[in-house]
Amino acid sequence: MKKTILMAFLWCFLAVCSQAGNVHVTHLRVDMKENPVGIDALQPRFGWQLAADGEYGVKQLAYRIEVARSPKDLKKHRNLVWDSGVVYSDNTLFIPYEGESLQSRQTYYWRVRLQTNRGTTGWSDVQQWSMALLNASDWDAMWIGENALSNPGETKDGDTRLAARYLRKEFVNEKKVAQAVLYISGLGAYKAHINGQQVGDELLTPAVSQYDKTVYYNVYDVTPLLERGGNTLGVILGNGRYFCMRNPGQTYFDLPCLLAQLEITYNDGSKQTIVSDTSWKVTSKGPIVANNEYDGEEYDARLDLGAWSLPGYDDSRWKTADVMTAPKGVLHAQPNPSIRVMERISPVRIWKTGEQRYMVDMGQNMVGRLQATLQGKSGKKVSMRFAELMNPDETLYTANLRTAKATDYYVPAVDGTFTWAPLFVFHGFRYVEITGIESQPGIDDLIGEVMYDDMETVGTFHTSNEMINKIYRNAYWGIRGNYRSMPTDCPQRDERMGWLGDRATGCYGENYLFDNGLLYSKWLQDIEDTQNADGIISVVAPSYWGIYSDDVTWPSAYINSAHMLYRHYGDPSGIIRHYDSFKRYIKRVQTACMENGLVVKDTYGDWCMPPESPELIHSQDPSRKTDGKILSTTVFYDLLQKMADFAVIAGHPEDMGDFLQLAATMKEAYNRQIFDNEKAMYGNNTATANLLSLMLGLVPEGYEEKVFQNIVEKTEGDCKGHVSVGVLGIQQLMRGLTRYGREDIAYRFTTQDTYPSWGYMVKKGATTIWELWNGDTADPAMNSANHVMLLGDLLIWYYENLAGIKNAEGSNGFRHLEMKPCFPEGLNHVQAAYQSVSGEIKSEWTREKDKVDWQITVPANCMATVYLPYRFYTERPNQEGFVQVEKGADAWIVTIGSGTYRF
């Protein structure tokens, strides 16, 4: 007790006598969100960054967090629900709440104060979060809807078709409202209105999920939307993945349904609750007569319902809402941000192609919707058909859409101008064919609304090589176009699924561009929700396509995504929460897929490696194919290494030895059965076989350089200096070449424009990344123009090996950086920045012959190990902020604290 009092006194003394000057607290977060509304985590986690305004070597020494139920109490240090006390730690990430039990609906306020080596900061600005509904008993609402197919042509079979449901409820406020909070879920998707105004600007809410396991709801503070007297809560229900787009072929759950609970607190403390029940009215006779994510949305303005979400509306022809069968999944507050319109672009060209027919080129393959202002004629259908590509005769190329119709329709109610955008669909497109309009639209009449999960762009990257810049730009557009509350494979054809294999390594590289932590954290739950009783997980999550097979390479994304969240964010929750599920999966592979120490089952091979003939999707040449045992065993070996680390993180150190022992046994068996000692090669000597063995740690000691030389000879000889790997080999290619001293080959791969290469795609006009290296000539059954799986480790290489922004081994959340650019011949300039969870990291270098001018910025409370090659830096470096300078084999090794430095 005396020690506690003494420490508190010392803290207060330091706060008064030792202010931190330019150091202050910024980027405060609760569970990775700023002032979140409606979370259901019982132990939220706090985080922040330090801003030091250029000071060198700033470190956090201690923190103190206070939490209260009101800002007033918080500022007066009274009635606190948690006071962490002074905690001597430099940690700023995912600090768990350890106070009183948190209550449903309650808003909490918090702040933090830091002690640093530059003094003590002032208290941060007051932040807040609110709790969602933590108990099933908190819900009084029913799932409601229209339990019928009521319109001509509607079907839940084949290419499904169903009109949107419109639901409404009027209520009265007789008092002044202090607060009103709406808890709502609409499956498959919804848009809520109060008194004629939209609730929020999100689209396609709630997040998709495995609806028989998990159902998400959203929370909105709608206080400003309520009025004294009469009010109306209205909701439009779309079909989404709940009703599905193809049946059979996809999981069909049920007809759309709504769960809504509006809780109103008045100034006098009294409360009123409006819930979805049979007092609501419903109709499916509104203007959205069909909505299907594959096929498009149809809107008939002649069926406009008028002021249906305003009080006093005549809904006498509407039905009484039906009570629907509740989805089986457990209700949870949605943990990740929803989809929004994140950017708007204009067409680059519009031209006439026929009578009342026009073609639009957006100039960019994008994902989202078209907001169109057009001239129509009453009752005459206007069609807008979408495609990524165009035929040589300037007609739409739609063969790669397969069965997806990708067409929106609008029927005007009157002659003249209308403006419209669909509500419940999105398209992957560059080109739009518009028919049935009275005049040619202008550039300003059409707006491409780019839609994806609301997240910050955290990375910038630019070089002196324009091909690298174009490939990076294509990756940027492709990645964000495939964020749809799950990472998808493609956004345009009759697929759009959360394939795991596409993100096994991609998740790491994508994080350098986008703050995607909440998306991937949510996706981990989607993946676990697919796991069956045998431990197998679906290779598509959520499993709208129930594809279950004993596979290793695709499901590796499950464990790798949790690993990325831990390494890049310092967030262990994915590992802890899903550890038991990981173990069940590992056990399944061990018992059902292994023979003689090797994993012998493989489903997909080294998918989409460059084929020998331009029209092929997959190679038929056995010499190009990598043995599935090699693919599965190497990847599983890597997963076992990660699981050994996970065991400690998750609080199960007793499991660590089992994982390592199994890995050691596998390595011995693998090299005894697969490795050719004389030729230093694996299997049939494909680049992928040798590369995975080398980079994932299975090559016997002393053979590394020989195995690598086989990779080089295969690349330079048989493959004529081009990429020869598919989805698995590409995950290690660029870093592998650079690690073993051939950054020149890696640089050539990212600058060449001959087939197969990323530059070849650019040369052929691509503005995103293709599914296939030969996407311009392959069978249209599988040649999406917007896939990201072939990026492999390219983006990681851009940031870590070209810019030198790398999370050091053993570091989490970029607290310690390894800055070691490879400075390839031919590249003269790189400029990159990354807003990490610990602060913004910058690196910019310019090379002129044998001289390099390099400027870097290290965030406060972080350190970096910087490598300065002797070929550029002959003299021992020395400047303010250096912690240590060592002489390495081929570079000065400089350890620095935070600050901006120029070498």
Side-chain angles (χ1 to χ4, degrees):
M1 175 65 74
K2 291 181 179 179
K3 183 177 180 180
T4 302
I5 295 173
L6 178 61
M7 296 308 295
F9 173 78
L10 178 59
W11 176 270
C12 293
F13 176 78
L14 288 170
V16 173
C17 300
S18 180
Q19 291 297 311
N22 292 330
V23 180
H24 58 278
V25 188
T26 185
H27 284 78
L28 290 97
R29 297 288 188 271
V30 174
D31 284 345
M32 300 171 68
K33 291 177 276 191
E34 182 179 358
N35 295 324
V37 176
I39 65 174
D40 61 7
L42 299 178
Q43 195 174 29
R45 298 163 304 155
F46 303 96
W48 56 84
Q49 295 177 13
L50 276 72
D53 295 339
E55 293 197 29
Y56 289 107
V58 173
K59 297 179 181 179
Q60 175 183 298
L61 305 177
Y63 65 82
R64 182 179 181 181
I65 300 171
E66 292 183 342
V67 181
R69 291 187 180 88
S70 74
K72 187 175 181 180
D73 281 347
L74 187 64
K75 291 179 180 179
K76 292 190 175 182
H77 307 277
R78 69 185 185 191
N79 300 322
L80 300 179
V81 296
W82 184 43
D83 182 351
S84 71
V86 180
V87 178
Y88 286 89
S89 169
D90 64 354
N91 184 28
T92 64
L93 305 174
F94 301 100
I95 296 163
Y97 171 84
E98 295 180 342
E100 299 176 11
S101 296
L102 299 173
Q103 305 299 312
S104 294
R105 307 175 176 88
Q106 178 67 51
T107 299
Y108 294 92
Y109 301 85
W110 72 285
R111 62 182 182 174
V112 64
R113 192 173 199 171
L114 310 179
Q115 183 180 330
T116 76
N117 60 344
R118 296 293 190 272
T120 303
T121 69
W123 284 104
S124 68
D125 292 339
V126 174
Q127 307 293 301
Q128 68 185 65
W129 84 91
S130 65
M131 301 302 294
L133 303 180
L134 304 181
N135 310 295
S137 59
D138 292 327
W139 286 95
D140 296 316
M142 302 176 179
W143 287 96
I144 62 172
E146 182 181 18
N147 198 14
L149 304 178
S150 303
N151 300 291
E154 292 188 337
T155 179
K156 63 179 182 180
D157 300 316
D159 297 0
T160 63
R161 180 181 175 87
L162 190 72
R165 276 83 167 104
Y166 294 75
L167 299 101
R168 68 187 308 273
K169 167 71 176 180
E170 294 196 18
F171 60 96
V172 176
N173 284 330
E174 296 291 1
K175 306 173 185 178
K176 189 172 183 181
V177 174
Q179 185 182 43
V181 178
L182 176 63
Y183 306 90
I184 181 170
S185 181
L187 304 180
Y190 73 89
K191 174 52 69 176
H193 299 75
I194 293 179
N195 297 328
Q197 299 184 62
Q198 289 192 13
V199 176
D201 60 355
E202 299 92 339
L203 296 167
L204 301 174
T205 48
V208 297
S209 64
Q210 192 75 31
Y211 299 114
D212 55 353
K213 297 291 183 64
T214 301
V215 173
Y216 292 115
Y217 66 92
N218 305 107
V219 184
Y220 298 97
D221 186 329
V222 295
T223 308
L225 300 182
L226 296 193
E227 299 175 359
R228 194 76 169 261
N231 292 266
T232 299
L233 172 57
V235 180
I236 312 174
L237 277 181
N239 302 328
R241 302 299 174 100
Y242 194 67
F243 186 67
C244 91
M245 294 82 76
R246 298 289 185 266
N247 183 29
Q250 295 171 0
T251 303
Y252 171 83
F253 292 94
D254 210 337
L255 291 167
C257 52
L258 169 70
L259 183 76
Q261 186 158 307
L262 174 60
E263 299 188 351
I264 305 168
T265 302
Y266 296 104
N267 278 2
D268 64 3
S270 61
K271 300 178 185 294
Q272 180 182 11
T273 302
I274 309 300
V275 300
S276 50
D277 57 20
T278 54
S279 67
W280 286 54
K281 302 296 286 290
V282 63
T283 185
S284 59
K285 306 299 183 183
I288 302 179
V289 298
N291 61 103
N292 179 305
E293 285 189 11
Y294 291 168
D295 297 332
E297 185 164 302
E298 300 180 30
Y299 191 97
D300 190 338
R302 296 170 299 178
L303 302 177
D304 184 77
L305 295 172
W308 67 277
S309 62
L310 288 175
Y313 177 79
D314 180 7
D315 59 12
S316 58
R317 294 189 177 184
W318 292 33
K319 300 178 182 178
T320 298
D322 296 319
V323 175
M324 306 294 288
T325 301
K328 296 178 181 179
V330 178
L331 273 172
H332 285 286
Q334 182 177 310
N336 56 304
S338 297
I339 295 171
R340 283 185 167 89
V341 173
M342 300 294 289
E343 185 179 344
R344 291 176 171 86
I345 65 174
S346 297
V348 296
R349 183 186 173 208
I350 302 171
W351 67 101
K352 188 172 184 177
T353 60
E355 184 64 27
Q356 295 189 330
R357 185 183 303 272
Y358 300 89
M359 192 69 73
V360 180
D361 180 2
M362 301 304 298
Q364 171 65 51
N365 195 15
M366 58 165 283
V367 179
R369 63 186 186 182
L370 184 71
Q371 178 180 292
T373 299
L374 302 170
Q375 293 285 325
K377 201 168 188 62
S378 176
K380 184 177 181 180
K381 184 180 289 187
V382 175
S383 72
M384 287 160 271
R385 191 162 62 122
F386 299 84
E388 297 179 304
L389 303 168
M390 184 176 287
N391 292 309
D393 64 356
E394 293 195 333
T395 58
L396 293 182
Y397 175 82
T398 59
N400 70 335
L401 302 180
R402 302 197 292 220
T403 69
K405 300 178 181 68
T407 304
D408 294 335
Y409 295 100
Y410 184 95
V411 180
V414 296
D415 295 350
T417 302
F418 66 88
T419 298
W420 178 76
L423 187 58
F424 292 121
V425 299
F426 63 94
H427 304 284
F429 68 100
R430 173 173 174 172
Y431 300 100
V432 190
E433 181 187 68
I434 304 177
T435 61
I437 54 177
E438 299 301 304
S439 62
Q440 179 167 329
I443 293 292
D444 294 338
D445 295 326
L446 303 174
I447 301 173
E449 297 190 326
V450 181
M451 296 163 50
Y452 60 98
D453 293 43
D454 186 4
M455 63 180 71
E456 183 182 357
T457 299
V458 292
T460 59
F461 183 86
H462 189 268
T463 76
S464 55
N465 185 284
E466 194 53 34
M467 180 60 78
I468 292 177
N469 298 337
K470 288 179 178 178
I471 294 170
Y472 180 88
R473 185 176 185 275
N474 286 7
Y476 170 82
W477 277 92
I479 291 166
R480 65 179 184 162
N482 279 292
Y483 283 164
R484 192 255 179 270
S485 71
M486 59 179 171
T488 60
D489 62 329
C490 63
Q492 76 296 90
R493 67 189 181 206
D494 57 356
E495 191 166 355
R496 313 183 193 195
M497 296 291 176
W499 280 95
L500 272 63
D502 297 36
R503 292 331 203 277
T505 294
C507 60
Y508 297 91
E510 293 170 17
N511 184 249
Y512 280 116
L513 279 69
F514 298 101
D515 183 10
N516 56 16
L518 289 168
L519 173 65
Y520 272 95
S521 180
K522 178 262 181 189
W523 197 41
L524 289 177
Q525 187 61 52
D526 292 337
I527 299 172
E528 177 168 344
D529 283 349
T530 73
Q531 191 169 33
N532 67 20
D534 294 325
I536 308 173
I537 59 176
S538 169
V539 294
V540 172
S543 62
Y544 303 135
W545 285 354
I547 303 177
Y548 287 86
S549 60
D550 283 315
D551 188 57
V552 170
T553 56
W554 260 235
S556 68
Y558 187 24
I559 290 172
N560 285 342
S561 294
H563 183 256
M564 182 277 285
L565 291 169
Y566 183 61
R567 291 278 284 127
H568 281 209
Y569 285 91
D571 182 5
S573 66
I575 294 170
I576 296 168
R577 184 182 307 121
H578 303 287
Y579 180 76
D580 289 342
S581 172
F582 295 156
K583 278 188 66 177
R584 291 196 303 275
Y585 168 69
I586 293 293
K587 187 68 173 178
R588 170 66 187 188
V589 174
Q590 184 181 357
T591 56
C593 306
M594 294 187 68
E595 294 178 8
N596 301 318
L598 304 182
V599 182
V600 297
K601 292 186 178 181
D602 174 67
T603 304
Y604 299 102
D606 191 22
W607 191 257
C608 295
M609 57 87 63
E612 61 276 11
S613 184
E615 78 282 355
L616 292 176
I617 293 174
H618 301 295
S619 172
Q620 305 302 311
D621 181 359
S623 69
R624 292 169 176 256
K625 296 182 178 181
T626 303
D627 186 344
K629 293 193 295 293
I630 293 175
L631 303 173
S632 293
T633 301
T634 54
V635 172
F636 193 62
Y637 178 84
D638 180 61
L639 296 183
L640 290 172
Q641 304 294 322
K642 290 184 171 74
M643 285 298 295
D645 293 336
F646 286 8
V648 177
I649 296 166
H652 296 282
E654 68 277 6
D655 294 342
M656 183 179 182
D658 293 339
F659 294 128
L660 293 177
Q661 180 58 51
L662 178 57
T665 301
M666 285 180 59
K667 183 174 181 178
E668 188 279 328
Y670 179 71
N671 285 300
R672 174 166 39 83
Q673 298 176 53
I674 303 293
F675 186 52
D676 186 326
N677 293 58
E678 291 185 6
K679 297 180 180 179
M681 72 180 196
Y682 289 87
N684 59 349
N685 199 35
T686 63
T688 292
N690 292 324
L691 190 61
L692 293 181
S693 302
L694 182 64
M695 291 297 287
L696 298 182
L698 287 97
V699 174
E701 186 176 356
Y703 283 89
E704 293 89 349
E705 289 294 340
K706 294 178 181 179
V707 171
F708 179 70
Q709 190 56 38
N710 276 325
I711 297 170
V712 172
E713 291 176 2
K714 173 67 72 171
T715 299
E716 299 290 65
D718 295 356
C719 303
K720 300 178 182 179
H722 285 75
V723 170
S724 65
V725 298
V727 168
L728 298 179
I730 203 71
Q731 295 176 23
Q732 304 293 334
L733 180 65
M734 302 297 281
R735 290 172 296 170
L737 290 169
T738 304
R739 179 183 296 179
Y740 287 90
R742 294 307 304 267
E743 65 270 11
D744 60 319
I745 299 178
Y747 179 67
R748 185 204 312 150
F749 283 168
T750 194
T751 54
Q752 63 192 177
D753 63 5
T754 48
Y755 173 81
S757 66
W758 298 288
Y760 176 78
M761 302 177 193
V762 173
K763 183 180 178 181
K764 291 294 183 175
T767 59
T768 43
I769 303 297
W770 292 347
E771 181 176 18
L772 303 173
W773 296 109
N774 55 328
D776 58 331
T777 58
D779 188 309
M782 203 183 90
N783 64 347
S784 157
N786 192 350
H787 253 66
V788 295
M789 63 184 183
L790 288 182
L791 285 170
D793 67 350
L794 179 63
L795 296 173
I796 304 173
W797 187 77
Y798 279 172
Y799 277 88
E800 296 184 0
N801 295 102
L802 288 188
I805 298 176
K806 182 180 179 181
N807 199 18
E809 194 65 34
S811 166
N812 300 312
F814 291 85
R815 291 291 309 282
H816 194 142
L817 308 173
E818 178 183 288
M819 308 194 78
K820 191 179 181 181
C822 61
F823 301 112
E825 291 288 341
L827 190 63
N828 300 320
H829 181 73
V830 171
Q831 182 179 21
Y834 171 57
Q835 180 62 251
S836 78
V837 69
S838 296
E840 188 174 36
I841 306 161
K842 294 181 180 180
S843 175
E844 181 178 5
W845 57 261
T846 301
R847 177 177 176 178
E848 293 183 8
K849 296 182 180 179
D850 60 348
K851 294 182 180 180
V852 168
D853 185 345
W854 186 15
Q855 183 167 296
I856 63 176
T857 297
V858 178
N861 207 40
C862 298
M863 300 186 69
T865 300
V866 182
Y867 291 77
L868 303 175
Y870 297 141
R871 59 189 169 125
F872 302 129
Y873 299 94
T874 56
E875 298 182 3
R876 184 183 182 90
N878 182 36
Q879 59 179 282
E880 185 181 358
F882 281 18
V883 176
Q884 179 177 291
V885 179
E886 298 177 87
K887 195 171 174 59
D890 54 11
W892 298 104
I893 304 173
V894 184
T895 303
I896 58 176
S898 65
T900 296
Y901 303 81
R902 183 176 182 182
F903 300 99

